Amino acid sequence: MPTTKNALVRTLLECGARHAFTLPGLGITWTLDEFYEVRDRFRVVLTRSEQAASVMAQVYGKLTGRPGVFMGQGPFASTTGAFGILEARFAGSPMVVLTDTSCYDGFGMYGVYQTMTGDYGAADVRTVLGTMTKYCGYATEPHEAVYGLQLAFKHAQLPRMGPAALVMKTPIIRRELPEQTRVQLYPTEGYLRHTPARPDAEAVARLAALLSTARNPVIIAGQGTQEPRARALLAELAARAGLAVATSYNGKAVIDETSPVAVGMLGTWGCKAANRMLARADVVLALGASLGPDYLRFRDRGMLDPTRQRIAQVDVDARHAGWVLPVELAITGDVVDVLEALRGHALGEAQRASRLTAIASNNEEHGFGVLPPTVAADGTLHYADIVRTLDRVLTPSDMLVLDAGNNRIWVTGMLRLRTPGQLVVPGGIGGMGWGLPAAAATQLVHPERNTLCLIGDGGVAMTLATLATCVQEQLPITVIVANNQGLGMVRDNMKGRRIAVDFTDLDFATIARGMGCDGIRVNRADALGDAIAAGRSAARAGRTTVIDVAVDPAASHVPASDY
Ligand SMILES: Cc1ncc(C[n+]2csc(CCOP(=O)(O)OP(=O)(O)O)c2C)c(N)n1
Ligand SMILES: [Mg+2]
């Protein structure tokens, strides 16, 4: 008779999963020998912490559109592992969390250490995970573990995608699956079937009419456009009709940012060109974009105002069009379907030339892509030097993963990316330390590409052990550490009485060598390009490289922001 753990692995395969990310413990440990059986078909990636495992699963989901599987023991999966789960929640990444109550047979009520049953003396893994997942099943019987896993996959991948969890009462994991006469189990396939709701043709025609009469139409492209087909269609339609494309942070680089329709990323930490172009728009189309206050300068009415501008919004979830601001037209549907439908309509092509002229003069006026003048102390670089180098050396086969802090703000605000889909950002909670495991997962999903990760000295220290995972799991990446010896972004906001923002100087190149990677120190702007090239060729030979870049601690994020 099969056991629960045996059925779990079979169900994972039925759900189409081929990878899981873990640091095991108790209940998850008990499942491991079943994964051994299928190791030729299913890769269990061992990380150094639940935090790293959860981020890798989240990024796997973000990049593939299929749930990334994170497995960990209850008290850790729901605490340190919450980092990647929360990122998946806010960023809408499909993810399945497999965890347990960490209780021993019959002892769930005795306050045994680690217990997460919710009983007196224990903590409650379901309550913790319930606050951050779309679905949290609780299996106290073997057959519930199978059904709960099937439903977790279903919920994780339906719009809007996100994290779903299965919590198992630990003792059931090794138990046999008895024949069920009443509660039957069925193959997974039938639970996962789904046909998308198609956008209403009449509404699409209204949208086309709205766009065709607009003098200065602006599209706000968000997370929902970050999909290969959507990117291609968006670029095609925008070029055809001269529609300006501004993006949210999650939508950054959805089109070539040097193309004549691009105005850059919106927001306080975005481009003046994007913010000002939106301000003068008569018609605004929010495309897979929530219109979140975070990238509209907290509802700056000078930028977007429903009483002054005509707003249409397309979202895959009907609740999300007209959520943040009232809109004139709300279309429920997938961005790809709406763009495909728009192809058959006129969008004001007669005004294409005048629209493009308006975009060009806006971008010129607001210095889109023009770096502000900066100076760095001797033996250090400024963030502007990093941006300038990336602009020069990035190729279409590179993936660029960002973390948090000043280093990110300079890239999102100042670097115009030419390859759509190349950028991978923490767009959910935006936590420091996300970048390293995110880069490792990016390399796993895209083995044919070079993954570069730009990260601060604060962020890199948080998940440094991921370098060992890159070596062990053969996921060669190139890490650029912007080392300004402190929490730059926080430090910039302190006007004196400086406390709790400065770090001692760490040499991340030497640390990396101790972990089996290559390490390079850079303290001159003209040496960074060569270091990146060395990292790329090391990666082709299977080696991970850390480039420790001395950044001037006085270099601030302010010149890169539109305050
Ligand atoms: C895990 C986490 N803690 C705190 C923050 C708040 N925060 C945002 S940026 C930042 C400073 C980042 O320092 P570093 O990684 O060295 O980058 P820098 O700003 O110096 O370039 C902090 C503390 C965060 N985003 N994530
Ligand atoms: Mg720093």
Side-chain angles (χ1 to χ4, degrees):
M1 203 172 281
T3 55
T4 306
K5 58 185 184 155
N6 176 269
L8 276 177
V9 173
R10 202 189 56 226
T11 307
L12 279 171
L13 287 167
E14 281 186 17
C15 290
R18 294 295 176 267
H19 296 83
F21 304 88
T22 191
L23 191 133
L26 201 62
I28 298 303
T29 309
W30 293 356
T31 68
L32 288 179
D33 56 346
E34 293 295 338
F35 288 99
Y36 184 86
E37 296 300 323
V38 297
R39 65 193 184 288
D40 59 328
R41 275 171 290 158
F42 193 102
R43 180 170 172 189
V44 179
V45 176
L46 172 62
T47 65
R48 299 291 176 133
S49 72
E50 287 78 2
Q51 180 184 2
S54 68
V55 170
M56 288 189 76
Q58 180 258 324
V59 172
Y60 181 92
K62 180 185 182 76
L63 297 180
T64 63
R66 299 190 308 275
V69 178
F70 162 46
M71 309 193 298
Q73 184 186 346
F76 316 113
S78 59
T79 54
T80 38
F83 191 87
I85 302 172
L86 273 180
E87 177 65 26
R89 176 181 177 87
F90 286 98
S93 312
M95 177 176 183
V96 167
V97 183
L98 195 56
T99 188
D100 75 333
T101 50
S102 283
C103 61
Y104 292 87
D105 268 318
F107 290 100
M109 296 179 168
Y110 295 82
V112 176
Y113 94 132
Q114 295 186 335
T115 303
M116 298 290 288
T117 52
D119 288 301
Y120 178 75
D124 188 348
V125 64
R126 291 169 64 200
T127 301
V128 179
L129 289 181
T131 65
M132 57 183 89
T133 52
K134 298 175 68 183
Y135 168 90
C136 185
Y138 181 41
T140 59
E141 292 287 334
H143 68 271
E144 288 175 331
V146 174
Y147 177 62
L149 188 57
Q150 291 170 325
L151 282 206
F153 268 84
K154 180 180 185 66
H155 283 258
Q157 59 199 23
L158 283 177
R160 183 175 184 242
M161 295 190 285
L166 173 67
V167 175
M168 293 174 288
K169 182 126 171 136
T170 310
I172 68 166
I173 293 171
R174 294 196 289 203
R175 234 173 254 161
E176 287 182 341
L177 218 65
E179 271 304 314
Q180 290 291 339
T181 47
R182 287 182 3 123
V183 189
Q184 305 224 344
L185 289 174
Y186 296 100
T188 303
E189 204 183 6
Y191 292 109
L192 300 187
R193 288 202 178 101
H194 154 249
T195 55
R198 298 288 179 207
D200 178 57
E202 200 186 310
V204 173
R206 279 178 60 202
L207 174 59
L210 192 61
L211 288 170
S212 49
T213 54
R215 257 164 50 91
N216 279 321
V218 172
I219 293 176
I220 300 179
Q223 164 89 0
T225 55
Q226 289 285 19
E227 190 271 335
R229 182 78 188 132
R231 291 186 200 115
L233 286 167
L234 176 61
E236 176 196 310
L237 291 180
R240 196 186 87 192
L243 310 170
V245 179
T247 74
S248 68
Y249 165 51
N250 279 308
K252 174 157 171 91
V254 71
I255 60 161
D256 173 354
E257 291 184 294
T258 62
S259 78
V261 290
V263 295
M265 188 185 101
L266 293 159
T268 309
W269 295 328
C271 311
K272 195 174 256 184
N275 294 338
R276 301 301 186 279
M277 193 69 203
L278 180 59
R280 62 198 281 198
D282 51 350
V283 170
V284 176
L285 167 59
L287 203 55
S290 67
L291 298 180
D294 44 337
Y295 58 85
L296 295 176
R297 301 206 304 188
F298 291 90
R299 298 233 281 207
D300 179 347
R301 289 186 71 180
M303 212 168 132
L304 186 59
D305 179 356
T307 64
R308 178 170 63 84
Q309 292 153 307
R310 303 181 72 182
I311 307 175
Q313 192 168 12
V314 174
D315 204 289
V316 73
D317 185 330
R319 293 170 296 191
H320 294 176
W323 173 13
V324 179
L325 286 174
V327 296
E328 177 174 331
L329 177 63
I331 302 184
T332 310
D334 192 277
V335 165
V336 171
D337 293 330
V338 173
L339 292 175
E340 286 281 12
L342 279 179
R343 274 176 125 184
H345 290 272
L347 302 174
E349 282 70 8
Q351 301 181 72
R352 177 177 183 273
S354 62
R355 289 168 174 176
L356 289 177
T357 306
I359 297 169
S361 68
N362 169 78
N363 289 355
E364 169 88 40
E365 183 184 345
H366 301 297
F368 182 39
V370 179
L371 283 163
T374 52
V375 278
D378 271 357
T380 67
L381 282 75
H382 195 285
Y383 294 109
D385 298 315
I386 299 178
V387 170
R388 217 173 277 120
T389 306
L390 288 174
D391 184 48
R392 186 165 52 80
V393 305
L394 273 185
T395 70
S397 72
D398 291 324
M399 295 294 285
L400 178 63
V401 180
L402 301 182
D403 197 70
N406 281 359
N407 59 92
R408 169 178 62 181
I409 292 174
W410 273 87
V411 169
T412 51
M414 288 292 156
L415 180 64
R416 293 196 296 174
L417 288 158
R418 297 178 184 84
T419 308
Q422 168 170 62
L423 186 70
V424 185
V425 295
I429 54 170
M432 295 161 62
W434 180 86
L436 275 193
T442 300
Q443 190 60 36
L444 185 141
V445 172
H446 293 295
E448 74 293 354
R449 300 179 78 164
N450 300 300
T451 303
L452 307 179
C453 173
L454 175 66
I455 189 166
D457 56 320
V460 79
M462 287 185 171
T463 49
L464 196 59
T466 306
L467 293 175
T469 305
C470 290
V471 173
Q472 182 171 352
E473 294 281 342
Q474 270 297 298
L475 302 169
I477 60 173
T478 302
V479 184
I480 304 164
V481 181
N483 191 347
N484 62 350
Q485 298 173 40
L487 302 169
M489 195 184 160
V490 184
R491 190 164 58 192
D492 293 349
N493 292 319
M494 296 190 74
K495 310 275 184 279
R497 301 214 289 174
R498 190 156 123 182
I499 185 170
V501 289
D502 294 307
F503 288 133
T504 51
D505 187 14
L506 297 186
D507 173 357
F508 291 99
T510 302
I511 294 171
R513 277 185 227 118
M515 297 173 89
C517 307
D518 292 351
I520 305 173
R521 286 202 108 178
V522 166
N523 58 12
R524 280 194 349 254
D526 60 3
L528 182 56
D530 287 347
I532 294 173
R536 271 206 209 94
S537 52
R540 277 194 290 278
R543 294 186 62 78
T544 286
T545 300
V546 173
I547 306 169
D548 183 310
V549 181
V551 168
D552 188 344
S556 156
H557 69 276
V558 175
S561 339
D562 183 18
Y563 280 118

